[in-house]
Amino acid sequence: MGEQHTVKFPQEVIEEYAALGLDLPALFSAGDLGTRMGIQILEASADRVVGTMPVEGNTQPYGLLHGGASAVLAETLGSVGSMLHGGSRKLAVGVDLNCTHHRGARSGLVTGVATPVHRGRSTATYEIVISDEQDKRVCTARLTCMLRDVDLSGGTGS
């Protein structure tokens, strides 16, 4: 769990962030929590973000995928999409997460796919569908992020 790999971003997006001195793949990684949970982002654009997470190590006492683990995967994927939508001059901050858990998963990988529902100037909302290896829906989530201006003088936003 937690192994690193390279996310494929559109070249123009990589160049936009590089011009600001930012390492895009590092910025849009799953972070420390995502690393501990084994989340891997496979595809990332403002139109679609795909990531996986192992069930093993992310279960509740009954041996089922923990609902909170699904929420972490959903928020990670939706946040990446929101940040890519907002661009290098915006910071995406989650303000609302709703998860409906449809079925349990006991083993293997779950895959989350985040697609936009709304992309505005100040908010972005993504639907995240999490499925098991048999392509059965495990969880449906919706994440809304506030898009804050980045303070280019070194701060994180206003």
Side-chain angles (χ1 to χ4, degrees), residues 22-107:
L22 298 173
D23 176 1
L24 183 66
L27 182 64
F28 290 118
S29 72
D32 290 340
L33 177 59
T35 298
R36 281 194 302 274
M37 297 182 74
I39 294 174
Q40 292 191 3
I41 300 172
L42 306 177
E43 176 186 331
S45 73
D47 294 323
R48 179 179 157 95
V49 181
V50 179
T52 61
M53 181 180 66
V55 173
E56 184 180 347
N58 294 313
T59 58
Q60 37 89 312
Y62 296 117
L64 298 170
L65 178 64
H66 195 291
S70 294
V72 169
L73 177 59
E75 184 149 0
T76 298
L77 300 178
S79 292
V80 168
S82 295
M83 291 175 80
L84 288 169
H85 162 66
S88 60
R89 300 200 188 287
K90 294 285 187 177
L91 177 69
V93 180
V95 294
D96 183 64
L97 176 65
N98 174 281
C99 299
T100 300
H101 306 288
H102 305 292
R103 68 178 345 116
R106 291 189 178 275
S107 62

